[in-house]
Amino acid sequence: MTTTPTRHTGPGLAAGVLTGVLALYIALVALGNITDFGTNQQFVRHVLAMDTTFKDDHLMWRAITSTGLQDTAYVAIIVWETVAALVLIAGTYLWARRDHDRARRFSTYGLLMLVLLFGAGFVAIGGEWFAMWQSKTWNGLEAATRVLVLTGLALIVNLLPARWGDAP
């Protein structure tokens, strides 16, 4: 059976573009963290050490001051970013190939990886557990929230029906 190829329009195009933008973003973040390891290493160390927070005795027990544990957490973040970038690149490629089912699956996995990293990791754990919101110097909540919102939008668009009239 021969079918006429669909044009790149509507939700599939939007999903592919948004997935591609986030794939590019997280790939650049991972590359930056790998090639300029020390810059964000200091960020992670300060957030985990809670050394620029209000020093509330009821919170400071949460601080992680071991540089070995801090660096392990930072390497884990970089690995997560790299894997997420690869998954999102695959999703973008599949959207471009018009393989919508697989594109949606890969994109959803990659986008959920970003939700976990920026939502659970940076906003919830970094922001609340390690009280990053208290720091004037080492506070990444605004940037994390910005990426989380864009990721959420991309996830919604990725999960839209292929055509507006289709069932989910």
Side-chain angles (χ1 to χ4, degrees):
M1 179 169 142
T2 306
T3 60
T4 306
T6 58
R7 296 181 323 177
H8 285 290
T9 59
L13 177 62
V17 169
L18 286 167
T19 300
V21 166
L22 285 158
L24 174 63
Y25 171 78
I26 199 64
L28 291 173
V29 168
L31 180 64
N33 285 338
I34 292 167
T35 60
D36 183 18
F37 189 85
T39 299
N40 280 330
Q41 177 189 34
Q42 292 307 310
F43 185 93
V44 171
R45 283 182 174 181
H46 285 287
V47 169
L48 296 180
M50 300 174 68
D51 57 2
T52 59
T53 62
F54 300 162
K55 305 270 194 280
D56 183 337
D57 289 338
H58 298 291
L59 295 179
M60 291 308 293
W61 64 270
R62 301 175 182 177
I64 297 174
T65 56
S66 163
T67 56
L69 289 176
Q70 293 167 345
D71 291 347
T72 299
Y74 182 46
V75 170
I77 290 168
I78 295 170
V79 169
W80 191 265
E81 292 166 344
T82 303
V83 173
L86 293 171
V87 172
L88 289 169
I89 289 167
T92 304
Y93 171 78
L94 291 166
W95 281 118
R97 300 260 321 178
R98 300 180 195 161
D99 186 349
H100 289 187
D101 290 337
R102 290 181 40 201
R104 182 172 283 117
R105 188 170 53 249
F106 273 81
S107 297
T108 299
Y109 294 153
L111 293 168
L112 288 174
M113 290 179 75
L114 294 186
V115 168
L116 288 170
L117 179 63
F118 288 94
F122 297 148
V123 173
I125 295 171
E128 289 303 316
W129 184 257
F130 291 106
M132 182 170 54
W133 66 270
Q134 295 179 3
S135 177
K136 291 183 179 171
T137 311
W138 303 102
N139 185 341
L141 285 174
E142 185 179 323
T145 301
R146 197 171 43 243
V147 176
L148 183 59
V149 168
L150 181 58
T151 301
L153 174 65
L155 188 57
I156 290 168
V157 172
N158 264 277
L159 296 175
L160 287 174
R163 285 176 265 133
W164 295 113
D166 289 353

